[in-house]
Amino acid sequence: MSVYPISSPPSPQAVMDTSFWSLCCYCGLEPYLWKVWARPIWVPTVVKNQIFYHAGDYPDQQAFQQAEHEGLLAIRDPQIRITQFRSGEREVLSLAQEVSATALIDDFSAHRYAGTILGLDTVGVLEFLVSLLEAEIITLAQAESAYHQLVQLRATNQGWLKWAYNQIKQRGGNP
Amino acid sequence: MATHPQLPLTPEEVAELHRLIAWTGLEEPEALHKLVEAGLAALRLEAALHLYATAPLSTGEIAEQTGIPRGQLIRTIQERRVAPYEDPTIDQPALYRDLDERLKRRVARWKGQA
């Protein structure tokens, strides 16, 4: 049985980058991806290779294998590639543009470029967290817990962290 | 640069060391020490992490420049809890307004499709 609680399948497509998946798994938000994006979420080959670069027993690797096995994630590569960025980011943005999908990407410069220059719908992990809270898909306690884990990790943009802090605080949380 | 007499570096390795010193901001003796201690690949990883913390580059661009695989770079950033570069020219109020607006649109769309 799937660990991912799925209600009515939503329609919008999404393409996911390495750090977005890794951070989602780190703070426990990955089951909620399929509450708001269609199955499967597309993952370019290079992104999968990056996630599995270190052979090990990392939680994001285990979760990826299970989600791919269940058809929640699927490999897909773009036909035409943008010239900006490199490796995973280029593949994700190219494919998102090609299939008119949301780019799930946490790298700040790639995220900004995708949103402002390519006109793509882009979502970083902290935006995903606050959006889930605002849509009442996760509780305030869950949002606080995920936020604390991301703060401890430090590996995400400080501007996004401050914004998420204020958003959780405004909703009565204690981030 | 005067290469360390105990390090038989090729001209290519000396050039690589120059590049890494420029990227990491390490002094030459410290760079050489790291080189002896952990090898060129480790020094290249240090350079990649330094770029992540100090330059407005994506992890893909850093991976390309340093030769460190992006998967390894992302994993190391998370394991070592390296904070990313913050661009001082970013207009924070404008960034927050943009995030607020996109949040409203996104959640409205999600509720509409539920």
Short mmCIF file of all heavy atoms in Angstrom, two decimals, chain A residues 92-125:
data_model
loop_
_atom_site.label_atom_id
_atom_site.label_comp_id
_atom_site.label_asym_id
_atom_site.label_seq_id
_atom_site.Cartn_x
_atom_site.Cartn_y
_atom_site.Cartn_z
N VAL A 92 15.30 20.55 -16.16
CA VAL A 92 14.00 20.80 -15.51
C VAL A 92 13.30 21.99 -16.17
O VAL A 92 12.11 21.91 -16.51
CB VAL A 92 14.19 21.05 -14.00
CG1 VAL A 92 12.92 21.63 -13.37
CG2 VAL A 92 14.58 19.76 -13.30
N LEU A 93 14.02 23.08 -16.36
CA LEU A 93 13.39 24.28 -16.94
C LEU A 93 13.01 24.03 -18.40
O LEU A 93 11.95 24.49 -18.85
CB LEU A 93 14.32 25.48 -16.81
CG LEU A 93 14.68 25.89 -15.37
CD1 LEU A 93 15.49 27.17 -15.37
CD2 LEU A 93 13.44 26.05 -14.51
N SER A 94 13.83 23.31 -19.13
CA SER A 94 13.51 23.01 -20.53
C SER A 94 12.25 22.16 -20.63
O SER A 94 11.35 22.43 -21.44
CB SER A 94 14.67 22.25 -21.19
OG SER A 94 15.85 23.02 -21.16
N LEU A 95 12.17 21.13 -19.80
CA LEU A 95 11.00 20.25 -19.85
C LEU A 95 9.75 20.97 -19.36
O LEU A 95 8.66 20.80 -19.94
CB LEU A 95 11.27 18.98 -19.02
CG LEU A 95 10.17 17.92 -19.04
CD1 LEU A 95 9.87 17.45 -20.47
CD2 LEU A 95 10.55 16.73 -18.17
N ALA A 96 9.89 21.77 -18.31
CA ALA A 96 8.74 22.51 -17.78
C ALA A 96 8.18 23.45 -18.86
O ALA A 96 6.96 23.58 -19.02
CB ALA A 96 9.14 23.30 -16.54
N GLN A 97 9.08 24.06 -19.61
CA GLN A 97 8.66 24.96 -20.69
C GLN A 97 7.97 24.15 -21.80
O GLN A 97 6.93 24.57 -22.32
CB GLN A 97 9.88 25.68 -21.24
CG GLN A 97 9.57 26.94 -22.01
CD GLN A 97 10.82 27.74 -22.31
OE1 GLN A 97 11.88 27.18 -22.55
NE2 GLN A 97 10.69 29.04 -22.30
N GLU A 98 8.55 23.01 -22.10
CA GLU A 98 8.03 22.18 -23.19
C GLU A 98 6.62 21.66 -22.91
O GLU A 98 5.79 21.62 -23.81
CB GLU A 98 9.00 21.00 -23.35
CG GLU A 98 8.97 20.32 -24.67
CD GLU A 98 10.15 19.35 -24.75
OE1 GLU A 98 11.31 19.80 -24.81
OE2 GLU A 98 9.92 18.13 -24.72
N VAL A 99 6.36 21.25 -21.69
CA VAL A 99 5.06 20.63 -21.39
C VAL A 99 4.15 21.55 -20.57
O VAL A 99 3.13 21.13 -20.06
CB VAL A 99 5.23 19.27 -20.66
CG1 VAL A 99 5.99 18.29 -21.53
CG2 VAL A 99 5.93 19.42 -19.31
N SER A 100 4.53 22.84 -20.48
CA SER A 100 3.75 23.83 -19.72
C SER A 100 3.47 23.36 -18.30
O SER A 100 2.32 23.33 -17.84
CB SER A 100 2.42 24.13 -20.42
OG SER A 100 2.66 24.63 -21.70
N ALA A 101 4.52 22.96 -17.63
CA ALA A 101 4.38 22.43 -16.27
C ALA A 101 4.98 23.39 -15.25
O ALA A 101 5.76 24.28 -15.60
CB ALA A 101 5.11 21.08 -16.17
N THR A 102 4.62 23.20 -14.01
CA THR A 102 5.25 23.93 -12.91
C THR A 102 6.65 23.36 -12.69
O THR A 102 6.83 22.15 -12.70
CB THR A 102 4.43 23.76 -11.62
OG1 THR A 102 3.13 24.29 -11.84
CG2 THR A 102 5.07 24.46 -10.44
N ALA A 103 7.62 24.26 -12.48
CA ALA A 103 8.99 23.81 -12.18
C ALA A 103 9.17 23.80 -10.67
O ALA A 103 9.08 24.85 -10.03
CB ALA A 103 10.00 24.74 -12.85
N LEU A 104 9.40 22.63 -10.13
CA LEU A 104 9.66 22.50 -8.69
C LEU A 104 11.17 22.58 -8.52
O LEU A 104 11.90 21.62 -8.78
CB LEU A 104 9.12 21.16 -8.17
CG LEU A 104 7.67 20.85 -8.52
CD1 LEU A 104 7.25 19.50 -7.96
CD2 LEU A 104 6.74 21.94 -8.01
N ILE A 105 11.62 23.76 -8.12
CA ILE A 105 13.07 24.01 -8.13
C ILE A 105 13.44 24.91 -6.97
O ILE A 105 12.77 25.91 -6.72
CB ILE A 105 13.47 24.60 -9.51
CG1 ILE A 105 14.97 24.59 -9.72
CG2 ILE A 105 12.91 26.00 -9.74
CD1 ILE A 105 15.36 24.69 -11.19
N ASP A 106 14.48 24.55 -6.24
CA ASP A 106 14.82 25.30 -5.03
C ASP A 106 16.08 26.14 -5.18
O ASP A 106 16.46 26.85 -4.27
CB ASP A 106 14.98 24.35 -3.83
CG ASP A 106 14.64 25.06 -2.54
OD1 ASP A 106 13.46 25.44 -2.36
OD2 ASP A 106 15.55 25.28 -1.73
N ASP A 107 16.73 26.03 -6.31
CA ASP A 107 17.93 26.82 -6.54
C ASP A 107 17.49 28.25 -6.86
O ASP A 107 16.76 28.49 -7.82
CB ASP A 107 18.70 26.22 -7.71
CG ASP A 107 20.07 26.84 -7.83
OD1 ASP A 107 20.15 28.04 -8.19
OD2 ASP A 107 21.04 26.15 -7.54
N PHE A 108 17.91 29.21 -6.04
CA PHE A 108 17.37 30.56 -6.10
C PHE A 108 17.56 31.21 -7.47
O PHE A 108 16.60 31.77 -8.03
CB PHE A 108 18.00 31.44 -5.02
CG PHE A 108 17.34 32.79 -4.88
CD1 PHE A 108 16.10 32.91 -4.29
CD2 PHE A 108 17.97 33.93 -5.34
CE1 PHE A 108 15.47 34.15 -4.17
CE2 PHE A 108 17.36 35.18 -5.22
CZ PHE A 108 16.11 35.29 -4.63
N SER A 109 18.75 31.14 -8.04
CA SER A 109 18.98 31.84 -9.30
C SER A 109 18.20 31.18 -10.44
O SER A 109 17.64 31.88 -11.30
CB SER A 109 20.47 31.92 -9.63
OG SER A 109 21.04 30.65 -9.67
N ALA A 110 18.11 29.86 -10.46
CA ALA A 110 17.34 29.17 -11.50
C ALA A 110 15.85 29.44 -11.32
O ALA A 110 15.12 29.63 -12.29
CB ALA A 110 17.63 27.67 -11.44
N HIS A 111 15.41 29.49 -10.07
CA HIS A 111 14.01 29.77 -9.75
C HIS A 111 13.63 31.16 -10.24
O HIS A 111 12.60 31.36 -10.89
CB HIS A 111 13.85 29.65 -8.23
CG HIS A 111 12.46 29.87 -7.72
ND1 HIS A 111 11.88 31.12 -7.66
CD2 HIS A 111 11.54 29.00 -7.22
CE1 HIS A 111 10.66 31.01 -7.14
NE2 HIS A 111 10.43 29.74 -6.87
N ARG A 112 14.48 32.13 -9.96
CA ARG A 112 14.21 33.52 -10.37
C ARG A 112 14.18 33.64 -11.90
O ARG A 112 13.33 34.30 -12.47
CB ARG A 112 15.29 34.46 -9.82
CG ARG A 112 15.28 34.60 -8.32
CD ARG A 112 14.26 35.58 -7.83
NE ARG A 112 14.66 36.95 -8.11
CZ ARG A 112 13.90 38.01 -7.87
NH1 ARG A 112 12.71 37.84 -7.35
NH2 ARG A 112 14.32 39.22 -8.14
N TYR A 113 15.15 33.00 -12.52
CA TYR A 113 15.24 33.06 -13.98
C TYR A 113 13.98 32.45 -14.61
O TYR A 113 13.40 33.01 -15.53
CB TYR A 113 16.49 32.31 -14.46
CG TYR A 113 16.67 32.34 -15.95
CD1 TYR A 113 17.31 33.42 -16.56
CD2 TYR A 113 16.17 31.31 -16.75
CE1 TYR A 113 17.46 33.47 -17.94
CE2 TYR A 113 16.32 31.36 -18.13
CZ TYR A 113 16.96 32.43 -18.72
OH TYR A 113 17.09 32.48 -20.07
N ALA A 114 13.59 31.30 -14.08
CA ALA A 114 12.42 30.60 -14.64
C ALA A 114 11.15 31.45 -14.50
O ALA A 114 10.34 31.52 -15.42
CB ALA A 114 12.23 29.27 -13.92
N GLY A 115 11.02 32.09 -13.35
CA GLY A 115 9.81 32.88 -13.11
C GLY A 115 9.79 34.19 -13.87
O GLY A 115 8.77 34.57 -14.45
N THR A 116 10.92 34.87 -13.91
CA THR A 116 10.92 36.22 -14.48
C THR A 116 11.24 36.23 -15.98
O THR A 116 10.66 37.02 -16.72
CB THR A 116 11.94 37.12 -13.76
OG1 THR A 116 13.23 36.50 -13.83
CG2 THR A 116 11.58 37.33 -12.30
N ILE A 117 12.13 35.39 -16.44
CA ILE A 117 12.52 35.41 -17.86
C ILE A 117 11.71 34.41 -18.68
O ILE A 117 11.19 34.74 -19.74
CB ILE A 117 14.04 35.10 -18.02
CG1 ILE A 117 14.88 36.03 -17.14
CG2 ILE A 117 14.45 35.21 -19.49
CD1 ILE A 117 14.79 37.51 -17.48
N LEU A 118 11.59 33.18 -18.19
CA LEU A 118 10.87 32.17 -18.95
C LEU A 118 9.37 32.24 -18.74
O LEU A 118 8.59 31.64 -19.48
CB LEU A 118 11.37 30.76 -18.57
CG LEU A 118 12.86 30.47 -18.85
CD1 LEU A 118 13.19 29.04 -18.42
CD2 LEU A 118 13.17 30.63 -20.33
N GLY A 119 8.94 32.94 -17.67
CA GLY A 119 7.51 33.06 -17.39
C GLY A 119 6.89 31.77 -16.91
O GLY A 119 5.68 31.56 -17.04
N LEU A 120 7.70 30.90 -16.32
CA LEU A 120 7.18 29.62 -15.83
C LEU A 120 6.60 29.77 -14.43
O LEU A 120 7.03 30.63 -13.66
CB LEU A 120 8.32 28.59 -15.77
CG LEU A 120 8.87 28.06 -17.08
CD1 LEU A 120 10.11 27.22 -16.81
CD2 LEU A 120 7.81 27.22 -17.79
N ASP A 121 5.67 28.90 -14.11
CA ASP A 121 5.22 28.79 -12.73
C ASP A 121 6.29 28.00 -11.99
O ASP A 121 6.61 26.87 -12.38
CB ASP A 121 3.88 28.04 -12.69
CG ASP A 121 3.36 27.91 -11.27
OD1 ASP A 121 3.57 28.84 -10.46
OD2 ASP A 121 2.74 26.86 -10.95
N THR A 122 6.88 28.60 -10.98
CA THR A 122 7.97 27.93 -10.26
C THR A 122 7.64 27.90 -8.76
O THR A 122 7.05 28.84 -8.23
CB THR A 122 9.31 28.68 -10.43
OG1 THR A 122 9.10 30.06 -10.12
CG2 THR A 122 9.83 28.57 -11.83
N VAL A 123 8.06 26.85 -8.11
CA VAL A 123 7.80 26.70 -6.67
C VAL A 123 9.06 26.17 -5.98
O VAL A 123 9.60 25.14 -6.39
CB VAL A 123 6.63 25.72 -6.41
CG1 VAL A 123 6.33 25.62 -4.93
CG2 VAL A 123 5.38 26.16 -7.15
N GLY A 124 9.50 26.87 -4.93
CA GLY A 124 10.58 26.39 -4.09
C GLY A 124 9.98 25.65 -2.89
O GLY A 124 8.76 25.71 -2.66
N VAL A 125 10.82 24.98 -2.13
CA VAL A 125 10.31 24.15 -1.03
C VAL A 125 9.58 24.98 0.02
O VAL A 125 8.52 24.59 0.52
CB VAL A 125 11.47 23.36 -0.37
CG1 VAL A 125 11.01 22.67 0.91
CG2 VAL A 125 11.98 22.31 -1.34
#
